[in-house]
Amino acid sequence: MKKELFGRMPDGCEVHAYTLRNGKMEARILDLGGILSRLSVNGQNVILGFDTLEGVLEDTSYQGSLVGRYGNRIHNARFVIDGKEYKLYANTAKVNHLHGGKYGFNRKLWRAEPFGESELALFYRSPDGEEGYPGNLDVRVTYKLLPDALEIRYEAISDKDTFVNLTNHVYFNLDGASTEGDILGHTLQIHADTYTDVDKDLIPVGRKNVENTRFDFRTAKKIGRDLHGKDMSDPDYSYDHNFNLDGRIRETVDGRDLALGATLSNGRITMDVLTDLPGVQCYTSGFLAHTENPLSGGVIQHRRMAIALETQVEPDAPSRGENLLKAGAKYDTMTVYRFS
Ligand code: BGC
């Protein structure tokens, strides 16, 4: 597997880029944040990413990153385990916690171990108390290219009860990133009868049926079909919501029983998202407006240019006391992005 020096952190630490290959797939992954900075299918890059470490370090939109310890929002940046309150870093809407806090897993240097040409395991130990979370958490994320897919397996184990929700925040545009293009013409199908409704700060307020709403993706439709807002002040300008997957269409991929969660297509390339997780955050990049930090090839970032499909448990589960990872128990989930 090709390993190259990608850049040096301000403290001099080296950041490396690994290039994985299999069949029609090629992926470039950094040991910083486990960042997927290029993913090509038959030579076509289908994700947003940066070619320089400076771009990566300036990014605040989690481009291609591993997200942890806890993906999505935790209300009031706190939770309670066994009657004890844990306070987290509040990095969104002043009081809430988002994507692991100030320095989430996307900002950590991971130890990388390549296997052959197509598999890269990344290791990180998150110490007890990091960003406020209890327990030393040993994490292993394995990126594996199948001849037609990218598989990501997330494993973790903690020495104290804690909350974990690992995902990857890669932004897709199957036409390739471009300054002019957007994601509105791609079709999307999501196998979900309900979505998680949210308040103005995107904190969950309960489940709603998708029927007769713009959230009905049970039959494939153009992403832009029901988006009529003019800007981010309009609720129907973008999607940034969790969909609760119905799990009805199942397939065994690489020995694992997964559900087909969503399918994205531009008419030429089709991507299936398969997962054993119960939800997917569909985020049509409404906040992406970091024009001063161009992507690979000088492409200017702009709103609605791409879509993130972040597999996850239903957001804010720690506030409801759900999905606790018990000390010594194994966290083990898998998501596959398959292309045809
Ligand atoms: C969230 C967005 C947030 C973005 C950060 C997404 O997962 O749902 O609200 O702005 O991550 O780039």
Side-chain angles (χ1 to χ4, degrees):
M1 179 183 302
K2 189 160 111 189
K3 173 185 176 185
E4 294 159 289
L5 180 66
F6 188 72
R8 274 176 206 280
M9 297 291 282
D11 66 2
C13 278
E14 294 186 342
V15 175
H16 300 100
Y18 294 81
T19 304
L20 284 63
R21 290 203 174 88
N22 195 355
K24 61 181 175 186
M25 306 295 301
E26 187 179 302
R28 183 177 66 186
I29 295 160
L30 309 182
D31 48 13
L32 174 67
I35 291 172
L36 184 63
S37 69
R38 195 167 59 216
L39 180 69
S40 20
V41 182
N42 287 325
Q44 164 75 60
N45 185 13
V46 294
I47 67 168
L48 275 48
F50 297 97
D51 276 337
T52 64
L53 183 59
E54 292 66 36
V56 168
L57 292 177
E58 252 182 61
D59 178 51
T60 52
S61 52
Y62 301 86
Q63 295 284 346
S65 301
L66 295 179
V67 174
R69 240 183 238 208
Y70 208 92
N72 219 306
R73 291 166 178 78
I74 299 178
H75 193 206
N76 288 326
R78 67 177 283 278
F79 54 70
V80 175
I81 299 176
D82 268 343
K84 184 169 175 333
E85 181 183 57
Y86 294 89
K87 286 199 187 300
L88 310 170
Y89 186 81
N91 56 336
T92 186
K94 294 199 177 74
V95 294
N96 301 322
H97 179 82
L98 176 67
H99 294 335
K102 189 169 187 183
Y103 302 108
F105 290 3
N106 58 306
R107 281 289 168 253
K108 305 296 180 187
L109 269 174
W110 295 60
R111 182 172 65 78
E113 220 177 281
F115 295 94
E117 284 301 306
S118 58
E119 194 173 328
L120 184 72
L122 296 168
F123 300 85
Y124 175 65
R125 164 167 266 221
S126 172
D128 189 9
E130 186 177 60
E131 297 285 337
Y133 290 92
N136 292 299
L137 185 76
D138 284 302
V139 189
R140 173 190 172 127
V141 175
T142 310
Y143 283 102
K144 183 171 171 185
L145 285 186
L146 307 176
D148 60 351
L150 169 69
E151 171 189 301
I152 314 178
R153 182 174 178 190
Y154 305 86
E155 294 165 275
I157 193 160
S158 168
D159 57 8
K160 286 186 188 161
D161 292 3
T162 192
F163 286 106
V164 180
N165 184 33
L166 303 175
T167 192
N168 184 295
H169 206 298
V170 56
Y171 292 79
F172 294 97
N173 185 316
L174 302 176
D175 298 331
S178 80
T179 302
E180 299 78 29
D182 61 41
I183 198 69
L184 304 182
H186 281 48
T187 58
L188 178 66
Q189 181 173 27
I190 308 180
H191 298 280
D193 301 325
T194 65
Y195 70 100
T196 306
D197 197 15
V198 288
D199 70 10
K200 65 168 188 10
D201 293 329
L202 303 179
I203 296 295
V205 293
R207 290 186 180 192
K208 283 217 171 123
N209 207 301
V210 298
E211 184 116 39
N212 297 321
T213 73
R214 68 184 171 103
F215 299 93
D216 194 350
F217 284 95
R218 290 174 298 177
T219 306
K221 68 171 176 179
K222 285 210 165 124
I223 293 175
R225 197 188 78 181
D226 298 322
L227 291 181
H228 305 297
K230 287 185 298 301
D231 57 43
M232 279 301 274
S233 62
D234 297 320
D236 61 348
Y237 178 76
S238 183
Y239 292 97
D240 193 357
H241 294 79
N242 176 66
F243 288 76
N244 302 296
L245 300 175
D246 65 30
R248 283 195 284 264
I249 305 175
R250 309 208 66 90
E251 255 187 75
T252 304
V253 183
D254 205 14
R256 190 106 159 190
D257 174 39
L258 303 177
L260 177 62
T263 300
L264 180 72
S265 179
N266 67 351
R268 295 176 297 282
I269 301 177
T270 296
M271 180 181 83
D272 290 330
V273 183
L274 299 123
T275 187
D276 51 17
L277 284 165
V280 63
Q281 185 81 7
C282 166
Y283 171 51
T284 53
S285 61
F287 295 112
L288 218 59
H290 317 284
T291 47
E292 72 298 339
N293 189 19
L295 299 156
S296 300
V299 169
I300 302 301
Q301 296 190 47
H302 58 95
R303 299 183 198 280
R304 308 196 297 190
M305 73 185 293
I307 184 169
L309 292 162
E310 307 151 59
T311 53
Q312 59 182 359
V313 297
E314 194 166 15
D316 201 24
S319 299
R320 301 185 298 275
E322 293 167 9
N323 295 105
L324 183 73
L325 180 70
K326 299 293 282 180
K330 186 137 186 246
Y331 176 94
D332 187 351
T333 77
M334 188 186 276
T335 294
V336 172
Y337 300 95
R338 184 177 59 197
F339 297 87
S340 55

